[in-house]
Amino acid sequence: MADTATAAAADRSQMQVSDEIAVEIRNMNKWYGSFHVLRDIDLTVYRGERIVICGPSGSGKSTLIRCINALEEHQKGSITVDGTLLSSDIKNIDKVRSEVGMVFQHFNLFPHLTILENCTLAPIWVRKIPKKEAEETAMHYLSKVKIPDQALKYPGQLSGGQQQRVAIARSLCMKPRIMLFDEPTSALDPEMIKEVLDTMIELAEEGMTMLCVTHEMGFAQAVANRVIFMDAGQIVEQNEPKEFFNNPQSDRTKLFLSQILGH
Amino acid sequence: MTQSVSYVRDTMLPAQDPPALQSGPVKWVLDNLFSGWLNTILTLVSLYVIYQVLSGILPWMFGGIWDASSLTQCREIRDTELGGKEVACWAVIASRWKQLLFGFYPPESYWRVVLALVLFLAAVAPILFSGLPRKMLWLAVVAPFVVFWLLWGGTIWGPICVALGFVLGWAVLTYGEDIAGELAAILGAILIPILYWLFLAGPLARGIADFSSPILGFSSVISLVGATMAAAGIYLVTRRSSEIGATLLAIVAIIMWWAVVDPYLLVRFGLLEFASGAGLSAFGIEYVPSKQFGGFMLSFILGMSGIVLSLPIGIMLALGRQSDLFIINKFSVIFIEVIRGVPLIVWLFTASLLLAYFLPPGTSFDILLRVVIMVTLFSSAYIAEVIRGGLAALPRGQYEGADSLGLDYWQSMRLIILPQALKISIPGIVNTFIGLFKDTTLVAFIGLLDPIGLMTTIRATTDWNGIYWELFVFIGLLFFICCFSMSRYSQYLEKTLRTDHR
Ligand SMILES: Nc1ncnc2c1ncn2[C@@H]1O[C@H](COP(=O)(O)OP(=O)(O)OP(=O)(O)O)[C@@H](O)[C@H]1O
Ligand SMILES: [Mg+2]
């Protein structure tokens, strides 16, 4: 699927990473009631890094990246996003959310608004950008994801792949510094997966900091500079993609890889 | 089968019109009404029943007598001219329709009611139909107060002082958050205006009216236009630097105008005598007490105020019921359950009898206002539950999508959640509104002269003693027109809002 993966891409994975910290998670724990979903998560994401998170279903991947923009609150430890410490202060949370873009498995476009309105809504109301300017930005990003001609349609009139690309454009319109993806391609038909992954690869090449939960291992090999494996709420293993796939350390990783790569 | 089809026609034949028996109304009738012997019998029986009913009703309705001065005369005409055939005596409508529409409202002021209705319709039009210019929405802000003033009359300071209550609530909500926190600000924004309306608004309006009669109201037009222009000018010039500052300056400008410029102009041009002579004091028009309100106008006022007010209150209650804030959540739940769990008629009796005991002595509280409040609260509890259904039907992804873009709570509610939840709830909301509108006839039981109450009054006169059906049909027709329009409108709205093309 993401056979855009090339040897050159692997080299790229080392580029553009600075030592400036984008996200810092320290000893973070989360419970759902008495169920301990995330245990002692420590993770530092540098600006420009592309991180792919994988792991079996229910291991807490979604929960982890949803904690980063406070869609879920954590109970212990600290998360610092772009220098802002996430606390219960709603102003901080809104600030972080406006700096962090998120793309969901089911797109979560607003069905009562046109594609263009979907893209201009947050810039106009959160960033207070004049409507005209917001529309220009929106058209720019819609052309980038290759659907400028659909701008006046409603989400319900688009295919799944197109909707997901709109969702990416919608996040980009906020000019985020970090992008989170939660299984952006798992709700799509195989033909559409490629168009979405291509968009994401393009984004990665521009140096966007990305955290991506996905099972597209081709994508991981092509653009990630770190792959994180989670199981039972813990980060079990993390490594650069080549090492991770060729030389997994823990048994759980090996088992997972053998299942997902279909050996 | 080993062989596949060997011949396929390679050109399409043009479609032909089906034979007459296979299409159009004839086919439909054959298919649906006479498709078997049982169906044929049912059809014939139904046709016979329909014929019987219509042949009874139609001549009664359309052969009715319009020209008579009493029921007795109607009967005479029927016996002498129509040979005793049962027909409607529409004469009662012809002679009493004004009363059925306006109650005991002074006839020379009927124009005020009509004007109020026109204004009301003009104000809701831009809300109901998105094709109209957005600027017209300003009408909706001003109209309630002008309508109020037109209907009840008296000094214009009354509605202005009432309007100030809303400004007060808005100010508390906007500036209170930083001072006292969000929760306190919301509660304050609800409680402070209510206290203001109960205790301050009345005396304030009377005070200003008394004080202003000769001086401030010296010539309604000059004073109002002057003050408005001064305020608007200052607002427009200073708006760029600060919206709030500009608003405050504009308010100061109005006060300065009335306090300084008006009196100066008065003295300078000797208009004082002219003003009091012309009876223009304080923009007064004749005061009409609530007990003269009646007829369909009363139902309409009660129904429409209930509808207009209960929608926002219902939305707030529905949001409150979803809220994480403990007090707001519990308040909403208890409010909804208590209001909904007791019959409306009980609440109406409470409004008419009990409320007077609970209110502090000295506050007189108009009966109509009390009924409007009760009706509003009653239907807002229902609306809240209908909207809660809509909110629950939205996928969680919509909330998360809005949150992830950094929209704050009110923004995501207003821009994302409510538009969709309300759209889903339209049938339920309109259903509640139609129910509310018809339930306003219950006020007949607490002595208000709505159409049903007036019927009793009309029948109590010697002229029309014993007349029933004609009045019922007329009142029913009026209600049907209103309710049916609401229903049609809701269907239109659902169609225009449909954006999911799946
Ligand atoms: N709101 C919730 N309340 C209680 N438990 C939850 C809630 N959301 C998730 N969980 C549980 O937390 C665990 C981690 O969920 P999460 O969605 O993060 O898994 P995931 O790794 O993203 O899985 P998948 O690959 O299926 O998306 C799961 O066991 C799930 O059942
Ligand atoms: Mg998940």
Side-chain angles (χ1 to χ4, degrees), chain A residues 66 69 71-72 91 94 97-98 100 102 104 108-113 118 121-122 125-126 128 154-157 163 170-171 174, chain B residues 177-178 182 396-409 411 414-417 419-420 423 497-502:
Chain A
R66 290 157 60 84
N69 68 353
L71 284 182
E72 304 284 351
K91 293 244 159 63
D94 282 340
R97 284 174 178 165
S98 66
V100 176
M102 174 126 187
F104 301 86
N108 296 357
L109 294 178
F110 308 129
H112 64 301
L113 300 176
N118 263 279
L121 185 95
W125 290 95
V126 180
K128 316 280 182 219
Y154 286 93
Q157 294 165 294
Q163 291 193 44
R170 177 176 77 177
S171 294
M174 287 293 281
Chain B
E177 194 180 330
D178 296 333
E182 194 183 350
R396 212 169 67 132
Q398 290 296 309
Y399 293 84
E400 292 177 350
D403 282 349
S404 75
L405 288 168
L407 296 169
D408 66 28
Y409 176 79
Q411 286 172 337
R414 187 160 51 95
L415 301 167
I416 310 296
I417 306 303
Q420 297 183 64
K423 190 174 91 180
L497 292 182
R498 191 171 297 150
T499 58
D500 49 336
H501 303 266
R502 286 173 196 272

